[in-house]
Amino acid sequence: MRIEGHAVCLPPDIDTDLVIAGRYLRTKDQSIWATRVFEDLDPTLAGRLRGSVIIAGKNFGCGSSREQAAVALKEAGVVCIIAPSFARIFFRNAINRGLPLAQADLSCRDGEKVVVDFSAGTVTAGDISREIPPLSPRMLEILAAGGLVEHWRKRG
Amino acid sequence: MTTLSERILGAPAGEYVDRPVDRAYVHDGTGVLTLEAWLALESGEIACPDRTYVLFDHIIPANTSTTADLQHELRKFACGAGLHFSDIGDGICHQLMGEGTALPGDIIVGADSHTCTLGAFGAFATGVGATDMAVIWASGSTWFRVPETIGVFLSGRLSGHSEAKDLALTYVSRLGMDGATYRALEFIGDGTTHLSMDSRMTLCNLAVETGAKTGLCYADAVTLEYLRSFGEIVSTQAPPSCTYEQELDFELEDIIPVIAVPPRVDTILPASELCGLSLDQVFVGTCTNGRYEDLSRFASIVRGKKVRVRTIVAPASRTVLEDAAGTGILSDILAAGCTVIPPGCGPCLGAHMGVVGEGEVCLSTANRNFRNRMGVGGEIYLSSVSTAAASALAGEIALPGGDE
């Protein structure tokens, strides 16, 4: 699996309240989450996420278990998130929603081209490359299916 | 030579295992997405309805038509499918599960990050997202990576007005917001055995604020006595005989009242350094600090006095509220001028029942002070119940026992 996108840089410890605020949770309209994503961090960010690879600091997705955070990012067009570490519930949620995550400590320049190659186990931003630990076979299967629901239905 | 997590999950740290779960629960917030994902699975019936719980606590009673419609749909489904269901006003999901349902050795999953609260019973209890929960509804099981464990050694007893919450904020500060990511915390030592179950639940509740998968206490005589009061007869768990990946030590006599300053749970100051900070709201409650012990402590400080700032008190469950009414502490709280709201999460997540306004400062006994969490532009300071009580009386941050 190989993913390309433009870098969007974010600081460490991005909590899921910041990804999608509690006041927007009571709906099933996923387009609302896509437009409100990161509103309290930077209201202009949602418009720049289509085709992006987020390169964040450590502990991305900490806090609440709200799966709307992963859905919001995917719906807004984020194709992958790279961070030195992820909060574990967010990690599972993102994979379950078909949003790939890569663990690496990578310096970030906004807009730079980023390539994530899960088969080769590398991420490259500009001319800097880092190795990434492999995702478990199960997680790769879920991602390949497009998410846990699709994975489950395929398995029957 | 195994940790409690390894013992319960039956495999060494680092291994991936599939395990049936003993209890699985969602609330009105995460239940909506869970139901949506579950319907998309088209998997027939819920695998274990007798182990599956839908507990309304997040936005209760419903605040808007949209919320009401979503709750109506979930309520209808839960009752139709024969799941355990508790409606508005019964209490916070973690508290309800902690009133005689969560048992030592159980594997418990909840679609809420603070499911770790139930580790207080010697259970492996952890939060999952909605889609994971949907597959658990369909299959009755899920996968876990058995976590490495950090041993948190507690010795001695808390003194003065210091509470388990002060200890919890102190260990979160020591570890940092990602200091235990992917790991479990085990609370051990004689200091743990001196803590009540209400206090242990507070201690385990904050584990996720360090990134931990869960926090656990070994079931002992205190656990047994507590569960016996709910009609559950269980055995103690053999004390730890393992080595930990990392160890932390706390002398409980040294724990002082502290406050986590916005916007991070791991940034604490001694409460004494914030005395005089003007407050717009005090909030006492949540899955961290809304239990009977908390309300009793709060009442003992405000009894016969009047609060000088709007103060919201949310009992963690109907049982807590009924107990508080029965013993008279509810009357003390009301007579002090506090507003008591229905058992549930209240304004903790900024949805209703006490959202704060732009520029307002709230002192809360909850577990998160993230930016805008309780309302856009509001600031959240986190403290113990005693500090919240003293501050409510002063209208500004004040130390418990300051007027003694």
Side-chain angles (χ1 to χ4, degrees):
Chain A
M1 191 169 53
R2 190 171 183 279
I3 297 162
E4 278 187 36
H6 63 274
V8 167
C9 312
L10 291 177
D13 298 316
I14 294 288
D15 60 72
T16 51
D17 276 69
L18 272 184
V19 179
I20 186 74
R23 59 188 179 277
Y24 298 124
L25 294 182
R26 294 305 166 264
T27 175
K28 287 198 282 188
D29 182 356
Q30 304 191 348
S31 65
I32 290 182
W33 303 330
T35 53
R36 300 293 182 176
V37 67
F38 293 129
E39 184 178 84
D40 290 347
L41 185 68
D42 173 357
T44 69
L45 205 49
R48 289 187 275 132
L49 293 178
R50 182 82 32 211
S52 71
V53 172
I54 289 176
I55 301 181
K58 68 185 174 63
N59 200 28
F60 187 93
C62 60
S64 155
S65 71
R66 62 188 66 167
E67 194 160 303
Q68 288 93 335
V71 177
L73 292 163
K74 190 158 187 233
E75 288 297 311
V78 175
V79 294
C80 183
I81 306 173
I82 302 170
S85 63
F86 295 90
R88 57 163 288 280
I89 303 177
F90 178 81
F91 195 101
R92 285 180 77 137
N93 287 348
I95 302 291
N96 288 346
R97 287 286 176 166
L99 174 62
L101 306 180
Q103 256 181 285
D105 194 350
L106 201 60
S107 60
C108 178
R109 277 191 296 270
D110 264 309
E112 193 167 60
K113 183 182 165 189
V114 187
V115 179
V116 185
D117 190 333
F118 283 97
S119 317
T122 57
V123 292
T124 308
D127 45 14
I128 300 169
S129 279
R130 291 275 182 279
E131 285 189 11
I132 51 171
L135 293 170
S136 74
R138 187 195 316 245
M139 287 179 196
L140 288 172
E141 270 178 37
I142 293 171
L143 284 176
L148 183 58
V149 167
E150 294 76 8
H151 180 251
W152 171 272
R153 287 169 60 103
K154 229 184 213 174
R155 243 181 28 171
Chain B
M1 297 290 277
T2 54
T3 65
L4 193 47
S5 297
E6 290 172 325
R7 220 187 280 175
I8 296 170
L9 293 174
E15 274 196 22
Y16 288 86
V17 296
D18 283 285
R19 290 290 177 263
V21 302
D22 296 296
R23 312 282 167 196
Y25 62 99
V26 300
H27 52 65
D28 51 302
T30 52
V32 172
L33 270 190
T34 303
L35 177 55
E36 193 179 59
W38 187 78
L39 292 172
L41 294 177
E42 295 180 343
S43 70
E45 303 204 327
I46 301 263
C48 308
D50 55 323
R51 297 177 177 193
T52 307
Y53 297 73
V54 176
L55 314 165
F56 279 16
D57 61 7
H58 264 53
I59 304 191
I60 55 91
N63 59 342
T64 63
S65 301
T66 308
T67 308
D69 290 344
L70 294 172
Q71 292 189 358
H72 177 56
E73 189 183 346
L74 185 57
R75 182 185 286 115
K76 248 187 351 193
F77 172 80
C79 296
L83 312 184
H84 296 274
F85 176 69
S86 86
D87 214 320
I88 64 159
D90 282 347
I92 303 171
C93 57
H94 313 302
Q95 177 64 19
L96 292 174
M97 297 303 288
E99 291 179 351
T101 299
L103 301 177
D106 278 355
I107 295 175
I108 301 171
V109 288
D112 187 276
S113 58
H114 290 107
T115 303
C116 55
T117 309
L118 300 168
F121 296 94
F124 186 85
T126 193
V128 296
T131 306
D132 266 331
M133 185 57 82
V135 168
I136 292 163
W137 280 9
S139 68
S141 65
T142 191
W143 66 272
F144 300 95
R145 182 186 171 280
V146 183
E148 287 78 18
T149 295
I150 298 173
V152 183
F153 289 78
L154 308 178
S155 53
R157 287 173 188 268
L158 291 164
S159 60
H161 288 278
S162 296
E163 296 172 17
K165 177 63 168 293
D166 296 303
L167 171 60
L169 290 172
T170 303
Y171 85 67
V172 171
S173 159
R174 181 90 64 92
L175 280 165
M177 271 168 65
D178 65 339
T181 298
Y182 311 133
R183 294 173 177 75
L185 305 179
E186 278 188 12
F187 299 99
I188 48 177
D190 70 290
T192 315
T193 60
H194 295 145
L195 296 173
S196 68
M197 287 314 299
D198 282 6
S199 288
R200 292 181 196 185
M201 287 170 81
T202 302
L203 203 57
C204 292
N205 178 266
L206 273 280
V208 71
E209 308 311 326
T210 67
K213 196 169 281 192
T214 190
L216 304 99
C217 300
Y218 286 76
D220 61 9
V222 175
T223 323
L224 264 56
E225 194 189 324
Y226 175 96
L227 288 172
R228 195 179 300 125
S229 74
F230 292 98
E232 295 294 336
I233 307 301
V234 298
S235 309
T236 57
Q237 289 165 319
S241 60
C242 51
T243 50
Y244 293 104
E245 188 195 58
Q246 184 187 339
E247 294 180 1
L248 295 182
D249 286 288
F250 293 95
E251 284 287 342
L252 299 197
E253 279 86 356
D254 297 340
I255 298 298
I256 57 166
V258 292
I259 289 177
V261 298
R264 294 178 64 97
V265 189
D266 64 355
T267 310
I268 62 169
L269 286 174
S272 58
E273 290 185 22
L274 288 164
C275 282
L277 184 92
S278 185
L279 298 172
D280 299 289
Q281 176 168 299
V282 171
F283 172 46
V284 175
T286 78
C287 54
T288 314
N289 274 134
R291 285 174 267 282
Y292 185 81
E293 179 179 282
D294 300 311
L295 266 50
S296 172
R297 196 172 266 142
F298 182 79
S300 73
I301 294 172
V302 302
R303 185 174 296 131
K305 297 173 180 163
K306 289 282 183 194
V307 297
R308 286 197 192 151
V309 59
R310 68 173 195 264
T311 299
I312 295 170
V313 178
S317 73
R318 188 182 300 281
T319 303
V320 169
L321 176 58
E322 285 174 353
D323 289 349
T327 59
I329 62 168
L330 181 63
S331 302
D332 296 331
I333 293 169
L334 290 169
C338 304
T339 299
V340 177
I341 62 171
C345 304
C348 174
L349 64 154
H352 74 159
M353 290 281 170
V355 173
V356 294
E358 173 87 38
E360 286 198 312
V361 177
C362 179
L363 183 66
S364 165
T365 65
N367 41 40
R368 290 198 176 126
N369 55 357
F370 300 156
R371 198 196 305 181
N372 293 352
R373 180 169 165 91
M374 285 181 72
V376 177
E379 294 210 310
I380 311 163
Y381 290 76
L382 303 175
S383 80
S384 73
V385 171
S386 297
T387 301
S391 303
L393 292 177
E396 58 187 33
I397 290 181
L399 279 182
D403 59 349
E404 283 169 8

